[in-house]
Amino acid sequence: MRPTGPREPWEGRRVVLGVTGGIAAYKVVQVARDLTRLGAEVDVVMSRAAREFVRPLSFEGVTGRPVLTEAFSAEGAAVHIRLGREADAVCVAPATADLLARAAQGRSNDLLTTTLLVARCPVLLCPAMNDRMWAHPAVLDNARRCRDLGYVLVGPDSGPLAVGEADGPGRLSEPHEIVARVGRALGADGPLAGRRVLVTAGPTREPIDPVRYVGNRSSGRMGFAIAESAWLAGAQVTLVTGPSALDDPAGVETIRVDTGRQMFDAVRPRVGEADVVVYAAAVADFRPADPAAEKLKRREMEGPPTVAFAENPDIARETLGLRREGAVAVGFALETSDLLARAEAKRIEKGFDLLVANDATEAGAGFEVETNRVTLLEAGREPLPLPILPKPIVADRILARAAALLRSGVGSS
Ligand code: C5P
């Protein structure tokens, strides 16, 4: 019954999702669905008031698990102990003013608040209420107390409210933001926790005139998958990408650029801060040297135009010396022949600690597809060929090696 995606990074992780009585409860069905889709086992605990807004059946439909409502269920009085002990994260959304008050006081008058007292994992509270209620000193006091107790407050956001006189804060954070924050809590002990990862991705567009450009077929999928995978592993991630139709990955600082030179300018000041730098962008090697200021018009030209090219910066090579000592550099080589020999030469030439080689001519690998077949090359190791896999799983495998190199201190200096 559980929906399955290409991978389930939170498989085996348990999340208690508390829902208290606010109109925003309907949005939390999406949170439950997304967490489940990412592999988590989601136990939804609803207050009586929450059940006035959304029926438990909606949550049961998306999690495939029974919704818990009473402290004293058929499973016995110990259900709150089990829930709290086994949870890897607890998230309450929406958290009403009343829930904040009870959490702040350490009360235990229902299943959710008792679970809060038992839990020792990260707890996130996502307040949502009328803006006047949120502005009341008693509510702000309780929110402060909750923070002092170690609970993480997510939101409230500002924006339109169900019944709001202003655009003041009170709105539940967006479901994708809540999922991102839960993910951050689950990644807190991941292999890249506390590390910074910088990723380049996508193609570049080099203008010929204001409407035409020289580009390539990169979709950005591989780089985006790496950024997301690094974030799921606990890293603080910056993604610098050329034009891509893909959405910003959850939790990742995403910087969008057009040209190779813009990418270089965005990457250069950030390389020195990164523990892992992944150069997954397909940067154009050459750009039209002198793009026309006006759109070129056929009628005004004498035959086909000739475009002169200038060399673009090689971002990987030119940022080599800026890397922090011990940082791990990962590069890509997309070749159409003589794959391993050319890839190994590129690894050495550009100073990559890990090189991901793939053959552009192979079906199911390279540009514009959801899967990839790559071989991982490292100094002093036999090449490691991987089977054809979905790009998110390839990303996980690449980062697992990068994390191992980082731990062993093999990174370039
Ligand atoms: O030489 P080639 O383009 O095949 O090298 C590929 C590797 O170098 C990739 O990791 C790519 O992201 C990086 N690169 C770069 N800047 C360029 C060209 C390639 O960072 N201008």
Side-chain angles (χ1 to χ4, degrees):
M1 175 74 228
R2 198 166 80 185
T4 51
R7 79 174 161 166
E8 300 189 333
W10 298 336
E11 198 175 349
R13 312 304 298 273
R14 305 194 69 140
V15 178
V16 173
L17 182 60
V19 187
T20 59
I23 180 67
Y26 79 92
K27 291 191 192 173
V28 180
V29 177
Q30 183 72 42
V31 174
R33 179 172 189 272
D34 291 350
L35 292 172
T36 305
R37 219 219 270 283
L38 287 161
E41 268 179 29
V42 183
D43 281 313
V44 175
V45 179
M46 296 182 81
S47 70
R48 194 191 45 75
R51 282 176 275 144
E52 299 287 333
F53 288 95
V54 182
R55 288 177 55 103
L57 198 58
S58 301
F59 285 102
E60 290 177 351
V62 296
T63 64
R65 299 169 67 78
V67 164
L68 302 158
T69 52
E70 308 299 340
F72 301 99
S73 68
E75 207 187 316
V79 65
H80 59 285
I81 306 289
R82 180 183 64 74
L83 274 183
R85 283 184 80 100
E86 293 180 357
D88 296 300
V90 178
C91 174
V92 184
T96 57
D98 185 59
L99 183 280
L100 292 180
R102 289 184 293 127
Q105 288 177 12
R107 294 193 61 185
S108 61
N109 56 342
D110 64 7
L111 179 56
L112 182 56
T113 44
T114 13
T115 302
L116 290 179
L117 293 185
V118 175
R120 294 295 178 267
C121 59
V123 173
L124 297 92
L125 305 177
C126 313
M129 63 197 74
N130 177 270
D131 53 342
R132 289 178 72 94
M133 291 171 72
W134 175 253
H136 194 285
V139 175
L140 294 176
D141 235 29
N142 287 331
R144 207 169 302 124
R145 176 85 190 120
C146 285
R147 273 195 208 99
D148 290 345
L149 290 169
Y151 300 151
V152 176
L153 267 77
V154 179
D157 289 355
S158 295
L161 300 168
V163 186
E165 292 140 47
D167 262 3
R171 205 177 142 81
L172 183 72
S173 291
E174 290 302 317
H176 69 87
E177 174 67 18
I178 296 173
V179 172
R181 298 292 288 271
V182 174
R184 174 43 30 126
L186 293 177
D189 56 358
L192 290 170
R195 303 293 201 166
R196 283 171 178 259
V197 175
L198 176 65
V199 183
T200 73
T204 63
R205 284 183 183 171
E206 311 296 337
I208 297 171
D209 68 18
V211 294
R212 303 179 179 96
Y213 60 83
V214 177
N216 61 65
R217 289 167 43 198
S218 167
S219 63
R221 275 198 197 96
M222 195 63 243
F224 276 58
I226 287 174
E228 187 185 60
S229 170
W231 177 80
L232 290 172
Q236 186 180 327
V237 186
T238 302
L239 171 68
V240 180
T241 179
S244 168
L246 302 173
D247 292 337
D248 292 3
V252 170
E253 182 198 10
T254 304
I255 300 168
R256 294 192 183 251
V257 298
D258 277 324
T259 68
R261 285 193 294 178
Q262 288 169 353
M263 187 176 281
F264 185 43
D265 289 343
V267 168
R268 195 168 30 188
R270 294 179 169 86
V271 167
E273 294 167 0
D275 298 294
V276 177
V277 188
V278 182
Y279 298 93
V283 185
D285 289 323
F286 301 102
R287 65 175 185 275
D290 194 13
E294 300 278 336
K295 183 183 169 194
L296 297 174
K297 293 206 172 60
R298 184 178 183 156
R299 221 172 292 134
E300 294 165 14
M301 292 193 316
E302 294 157 14
T306 307
V307 180
F309 284 89
E311 203 158 338
N312 253 349
D314 185 320
I315 299 171
R317 193 167 17 203
E318 293 190 31
T319 55
L320 180 69
L322 303 176
R323 291 176 206 149
R324 156 196 291 194
E325 201 177 324
V328 169
V330 182
F332 279 73
L334 184 73
E335 304 289 348
T336 50
S337 65
D338 228 358
L339 178 64
L340 290 189
R342 284 172 191 243
E344 179 61 9
K346 193 162 290 178
R347 189 187 70 70
I348 295 166
E349 177 208 335
K350 297 204 181 186
F352 295 133
D353 303 295
L354 173 63
L355 189 124
V356 185
N358 59 358
D359 184 341
T361 60
E362 189 181 359
F367 284 167
E368 293 180 314
V369 290
E370 307 277 354
T371 53
N372 213 351
R373 187 217 291 276
V374 304
T375 301
L376 304 185
L377 304 180
E378 287 171 42
R381 265 186 154 234
E382 282 297 302
L384 177 66
L386 301 180
I388 287 207
L389 294 167
K391 283 180 175 173
I393 294 176
V394 176
D396 290 346
R397 303 285 289 268
I398 294 168
L399 284 172
R401 280 308 308 153
L405 286 171
L406 196 59
R407 278 195 303 275
S408 68
V410 164
S412 54
S413 53

